[in-house]
Structure formats: structure tokens, C-alpha cells
Amino acid sequence: MRDWRSIALARRKDFRVGFLQRRSGGAGRERLMTRSAATFESPVREQHVTHRRETLLDQYVRKLLFCGHIVGRRRAACVALVIGATIGLRCALLPWLPRPQPYVQDEFAYLLGADTFASGRLANPAHPLGEFFEATQIITHPVYVMKYQPGQAAFLALGQVLFGDPYWGVVLSVAVMAGAICWMMQGLLLPGWALIGGLFTAAVFGGGHYWIQSYWGGALPALASALMIGAFTRILRGRLWCIWLFTAGTALGLLTRPYETGVLSATLTIALMVAHVRARSWTALWKMALPYAAGMAAWACFQMYYDWRITGNALKLPYMLHEEQYSATPAFWMLPTRTIPTPNNPAVYAAHWLLDIPKYDELRSMGWVRRTAMLLRRAVTADEWEPGFRTTVPELIGILRYVLALAPLFWFSRRVRCLTALAAVLGLSTCLTLWAFLHYLAPMMVVVLTLIFLLVSYLRSIDVRGRRVGNVLVAMILLYLPFESLLMARSAIDVFRNGPNAPFVKERARITAELQRAGGQHVIIVRYNSDRPARRDWVYNSANIDAQKIVWAVDRGSVENRKLLAYYHGRRFWLLYANESPPRLEPYQD
């Protein structure tokens, strides 16, 4: 066995002994913390390095980790620090990176849900002229509501109610996610490394990543995953009260992204049951079964009530109803297509027929070898939807992804084996879906980040011919961490100023500002050219359409439009040619 491998084993043993002594408290705890803070290594490591002369690089790494260890001992304070750092960093970037304007159809749908919840309703009544307000990812009948699960919209509604702006709900969700990831890492890593991992998460996602620079989501499934994994590790150590956190994370995940977080929850639940059955811990199983059953029953009751209010069927999700109305392709590529009428709205047709159907046909027509290779590549990278926005896994974590190649060297560690297996299960689960964006891979991202910093913490044990190669690698990684966050912020600022969707955002804001300055109430009828697909859907409204000063409606022809003119007879009507560049707005003439 190599020298560095025995050292890593001893360090892991020392960490376990330290955990037991910290739980016992007293003088033994203080002696252990003093020894660990002074060396941040195991006794075996001290025996191997006493004859070597410490270099400046070794001193830098040791002192930095010493400071991280001292601060990391205050676990609750570290979580609060990470949350505050996320919010502070986003506020500091506001002069260069203002609050985002929605442009993806999913964002408008979530904002509709937030406005609905902030108004004290779960769903809005269907509008008498609902056919004019059809939009992508929106249900217009039997009620007027978004198609998604309520988790993301609930956080946006929280920001709207508390701060008057739904965007601060996004910032709050990302900040709590970073704090939860730090708390999760505290159960798997040494305190100093958990703090470093939490601060890196805060810097990357708070520095302008699209999870915080859009209303699309991603932070809430990651938050739910961090709660589940952190509670799982603590339950295995005897802290049975963490089953409440595990249940809360499961419920939050199912109310946000039920498929991906459901796979994680099922995997961890089975692992918990197997571990306690093998240990014959029947009492612990019974103590956990009651809270878990109570929490899941509360989630099931709310979910069924929410489904019933929207779809009329307690067992049918709003997402399923929307797909039955507008989408011919299923969410999973191996299922057959549906036979539904072609949508009248050109923007809805472009989203569900001109994008989904070619993607579905491409996957189905591939040979199994090529399809398997493509799906596996996508499972570890994610689909890229915005050039320059760092929306894939390699772009997000940068060169840190190469640390994962060192996992086989530390395969003796149970933590490495378990985290690798969990990441593989979550990655393979995305191979079944038609699309796989980065926020779909949020549970896997949480596991990958934890695995990276666990492997980095083991790197210090690597010696090659008496040289501390591990310290060199650790020093390079620690120097790179702030650099990656700067790249993220620069990328976000560049996309905000020069991104492909910037013209749409600017033109919509310009038109809205001009009509607001003109005063009065308006109706904008959006016309799309039939020979060119609509790149963006302009027709999005708030929860109370009739109360808006500016109502957006889709053009349905001069005969049908007379219904709209009669209904809003006291307003000024405008016609927007959405496919022109720039879009042209002129008074509507019947």
C-alpha cells in the first residue's frame, strides 16, 4: 500500500474518533480540537512529515486550512455566513448586473403563479376570452394558472409580498440553498472544507449564475437535495430527529421538481431502511416511520387539493393537463406521442411542436449505441440553452471537474463510493427525459460539489517520492476557486448586455414604458407571421388580466378580434408585429 493511501486512511479514522469525542464533550473534545486545529492532519501524517522541511507552499496551505478549521467549528455561524455572503455578493453586483427581466416562457409562467399566490389564491378563474390569452406553459381552462408545481412560484410570491418584488424571492432561495449545501457538507467533510465548499457555492451561484439571474428556478431542488443528503448522513450517526429535515426536503423537492428529487428521495429512503434493517435497529425505524409518514401525508393532502383545484382530478398534476392540451410529445422520450389538435397560437406551436417534436424524433430514430452515448454525455454535462451563460456542468464548476478523475484513487473511502454511486443514479435518471437542462440536474450538482471537495480534502495525503504533491494541487485549487466566481460574474454581465435575448427584453420594456407614459388603458394584439415561427411568446399577463393597464392578447383574425374589442371597449388597441426586427407597434384598425 502506498504511503499516501495509509495516511488518508488514518486521517479518516482520526476524523471519526474526533466526531465521537465531540459528541461526548468535555476535556477530550477540547484536546482533540486543539490537536486538529494545530496540524489539521492525523498522527500518522505527523510521523511521516517530521523529517521534512516545510516549504512556503506547505505553510500557506496549512495556515489557510487552520483558519478555515477554526472558523468552521462554529457550524451555525458558518451557515449564516454563507447565506449572508450570497445575498451580499448579489447586492454588490447590482450596479453592473441589475435585476433580470423575464424572457423565457417558463419565467413568465412562474411569475403568473407568484402573482396568483400573492393574491391569496391557488388558481385564477378562467377568463371569458381565454383563447386570446393562450401562452406557452400556461393553462387557460378550466382555470387560468401556470402548469408547474407550486414550489418555485411560492418563493417568488414570498419575495413579492415581503419586499414588493418577486426577484428577491429568487435571491432568498439561492442564499438558503448555499447555506443548506454548507450544512450538508458539514456532515461529510471536515469543518474547514465544508466552509470552503459553502463559500464557493455562494460565490458561484450568487455571482450571476442563471439560477439567481432568472426566475426559472434550480435553487429549490438543490436546497431540497441538500436537506435530504445532510439529514441522511446525520440519521446514520444516530440523530434521528433529522428525519424531520429529511421529510421537509422530500416534500419541498416533490413540490418543485418531483421526478429528479423523487429519485433522490427514493434512493436515500431505501438506503436508510437497509442500513437500519442490517443493524437490526427496529426501534430507530419505528421512531422515524411516524414523522416521515406524517410529513408525507401532509404533502399528499396539499398536492391532491392543489391538483383538484386546477385540473378537477386530485391525481392529475397541472403539468399533465397542460401536456394533454398542447404538447404532442411526452416528457419521457420512450413513451408514445399523443394525438392532439394543432395549437392556434403560433408561439405555443413553435415551443411544443417545432422544438419538442424534432428532439423526440431525433432520439427515437437513433441507433441504440449512438443514443446511449448521447444520453450518457448529456447526463454528465446537461443541455446548453444559452451560449456564454455557463449552463452545463463543466462550465459551472470549471477545471474542478478534473478532480473527479481522482475518485478511483480514494475508492477505499466509503464516502467517495457512496457519493459516486448516488451521482451516477441521479445522472442516469435524466437519460429518460426528453430534455436535461442544468436545473434538471440540480440534485446531481449538489452531490458532485460535495464529492469534489471531499476528494480535494484527501489530496493533501498524496506524496510522490517524498514530495508533497498533494499540497501543490490543493494550493492550485484554492487559488482557482475565487477565479471561477469572477468568470461567472463576467459571463452573466456579458449575457445581460449582449445576449441573444437582450433585444426582446429591451423592446418589451420600451413598448411598455411608452404606453405607460401615454396614460390610459391599452390592449396590445400580438400578430405573428405564419411563414416564420415565433422566437418568443409576447402574450403574458398577470393573475388579474382585466385589472392591468396593458393587456397582451394574441391575434385571432379580424372577425374573432371583434370579441376582444367589444369586451375592452374603453381601451386603446394596438397591433404588434412580433416577427419584425425591431418589432413594430401601430394603432389597431379593424
Side-chain angles (χ1 to χ4, degrees):
M1 181 180 294
R2 284 188 173 183
D3 183 38
W4 59 267
R5 188 167 182 177
S6 62
I7 294 169
L9 282 168
R11 289 186 63 205
R12 187 179 65 162
K13 181 179 179 181
D14 185 56
F15 176 75
R16 289 182 175 179
V17 172
F19 171 77
L20 295 175
Q21 293 192 18
R22 284 194 297 273
R23 290 188 62 186
S24 63
R29 172 182 177 180
E30 295 301 325
R31 286 194 300 270
L32 175 73
M33 299 305 290
T34 302
R35 184 188 68 185
S36 299
T39 63
F40 213 72
E41 295 288 351
S42 67
V44 176
R45 177 68 174 174
E46 296 171 15
Q47 296 173 10
H48 283 278
V49 302
T50 52
H51 66 281
R52 297 196 186 100
R53 187 174 181 179
E54 193 174 42
T55 64
L56 291 177
L57 182 62
D58 296 332
Q59 293 178 11
Y60 158 74
V61 175
R62 179 176 59 81
K63 290 180 180 180
L64 182 61
L65 295 181
F66 168 79
C67 296
H69 182 73
I70 293 298
V71 178
R73 288 168 53 188
R74 296 166 175 82
R75 299 174 184 269
C78 289
V79 174
L81 173 64
V82 170
I83 294 176
T86 307
I87 299 175
L89 178 60
R90 184 62 193 93
C91 293
L93 289 174
L94 283 176
W96 303 275
L97 193 64
R99 62 179 296 278
Q101 296 294 329
Y103 60 89
V104 180
Q105 54 265 26
D106 305 65
E107 298 181 82
F108 288 101
Y110 282 125
L111 289 172
L112 170 62
D115 195 34
T116 303
F117 296 157
S119 303
R121 301 185 297 271
L122 289 179
N124 306 294
H127 196 277
L129 300 178
E131 63 273 12
F132 286 93
F133 307 112
E134 288 183 338
T136 314
Q137 321 301 8
I138 298 293
I139 298 173
T140 56
H141 64 280
V143 292
Y144 173 53
V145 71
M146 66 172 184
K147 76 171 187 178
Y148 293 110
Q149 288 286 82
Q152 174 71 8
F155 262 79
L156 298 181
L158 183 64
Q160 183 171 332
V161 172
L162 296 181
F163 307 106
D165 189 344
Y167 176 64
W168 294 108
V170 177
V171 176
L172 180 63
S173 66
V174 175
V176 177
M177 174 207 73
I181 290 177
C182 179
W183 174 79
M184 176 199 65
M185 289 183 178
Q186 289 173 351
L188 291 165
L189 282 69
L190 291 170
W193 284 109
L195 176 59
I196 294 173
L199 290 176
F200 174 77
T201 304
V204 169
F205 290 100
H209 189 258
Y210 85 93
W211 286 8
I212 201 173
Q213 197 55 22
S214 72
Y215 304 90
W216 207 347
L220 287 187
L223 166 62
S225 303
L227 288 177
M228 283 188 280
I229 298 172
F232 173 82
T233 59
R234 288 163 173 81
I235 291 172
L236 291 181
R237 295 172 180 172
R239 301 182 185 180
L240 300 183
W241 64 269
C242 288
I243 190 63
W244 290 106
L245 293 176
F246 184 86
T247 306
T250 302
L252 177 61
L254 294 176
L255 290 174
T256 309
R257 293 209 60 86
Y259 173 64
E260 293 83 2
T261 55
V263 171
L264 174 62
S265 176
T267 304
L268 295 181
T269 301
I270 294 173
L272 273 180
M273 294 177 61
V274 170
H276 284 84
V277 168
R278 291 180 61 182
R280 300 184 181 275
S281 302
W282 311 114
T283 303
L285 275 177
W286 177 251
K287 289 182 179 180
M288 290 189 297
L290 292 179
Y292 185 78
M296 289 294 96
W299 161 78
C301 291
F302 173 79
Q303 182 69 68
M304 289 190 293
Y305 178 71
Y306 182 76
D307 296 344
W308 174 74
R309 286 294 308 274
I310 295 175
T311 66
N313 185 347
L315 300 180
K316 177 182 287 188
L317 296 174
Y319 185 93
M320 299 168 60
L321 175 63
H322 181 274
E323 298 303 290
E324 292 175 358
Q325 293 177 348
Y326 297 107
S327 180
T329 58
F332 299 94
W333 59 266
M334 74 289 302
L335 299 178
T337 57
R338 306 181 188 90
T339 302
I340 62 172
T342 304
N344 294 321
N345 189 332
V348 176
Y349 175 80
H352 292 295
W353 292 64
L354 298 184
L355 289 179
D356 290 350
I357 291 181
K359 181 75 171 181
Y360 178 85
D361 293 338
E362 179 187 6
L363 283 173
R364 299 275 292 193
S365 62
M366 286 182 179
W368 69 270
V369 176
R370 184 184 173 193
R371 181 169 58 221
T372 302
M374 193 276 288
L375 292 175
L376 289 177
R377 178 196 59 79
R378 192 187 68 175
V380 297
T381 60
D383 287 320
E384 184 175 2
W385 66 273
E386 183 82 22
F389 216 155
R390 299 182 178 270
T391 59
T392 63
V393 177
E395 291 174 335
L396 176 65
I397 60 179
I399 64 173
L400 289 179
R401 66 184 183 273
Y402 296 113
V403 176
L404 298 173
L406 300 175
L409 298 179
F410 302 102
W411 206 247
F412 54 83
S413 171
R414 181 179 298 177
R415 292 185 181 90
V416 172
R417 295 196 302 270
C418 292
L419 289 175
T420 303
L422 188 58
V425 170
L426 295 173
L428 290 175
S429 66
T430 63
C431 294
L432 305 179
T433 59
L434 186 62
W435 299 96
F437 298 114
L438 185 60
H439 52 283
Y440 293 11
L441 273 63
M444 190 190 77
M445 277 303 309
V446 172
V447 178
V448 168
L449 283 174
T450 307
L451 180 59
I452 285 174
F453 283 97
L454 178 61
L455 293 172
V456 172
S457 69
Y458 285 159
L459 284 181
R460 293 195 65 198
S461 306
I462 298 181
D463 290 350
V464 177
R465 296 181 179 179
R467 297 180 180 274
R468 293 184 177 180
V469 178
N471 271 349
V472 177
L473 298 176
V474 170
M476 294 174 60
I477 290 172
L478 293 178
L479 290 173
Y480 170 76
L481 295 183
F483 179 72
E484 176 65 17
S485 61
L486 292 176
L487 290 178
M488 189 66 62
R490 179 183 176 183
S491 172
I493 294 173
D494 183 66
V495 170
F496 171 76
R497 294 177 177 174
N498 307 311
N501 295 291
F504 168 80
V505 173
K506 293 178 181 178
E507 289 298 324
R508 187 181 177 93
R510 179 186 62 82
I511 293 172
T512 302
E514 288 179 358
L515 295 184
Q516 287 177 345
R517 285 195 300 267
Q521 294 181 319
H522 308 267
V523 176
I524 300 178
I525 300 177
V526 181
R527 176 173 294 175
Y528 303 99
N529 293 345
S530 58
D531 57 338
R532 286 191 297 170
R535 292 178 296 176
R536 290 296 172 195
D537 194 348
W538 288 73
V539 182
Y540 282 101
N541 299 281
S542 64
N544 190 350
I545 299 177
D546 293 343
Q548 297 177 181
K549 291 184 178 181
I550 302 175
V551 174
W552 300 80
V554 65
D555 178 34
R556 295 179 61 86
S558 58
V559 177
E560 289 291 320
N561 289 348
R562 292 172 186 172
K563 300 178 183 178
L564 199 66
L565 271 66
Y567 188 85
Y568 293 108
H569 58 85
R571 295 175 178 251
R572 296 183 62 185
F573 286 82
W574 304 85
L575 182 63
L576 177 67
Y577 294 90
N579 286 100
E580 295 186 6
S581 182
R584 178 164 53 93
L585 183 69
E586 62 181 29
Y588 180 81
Q589 297 179 356
D590 190 6

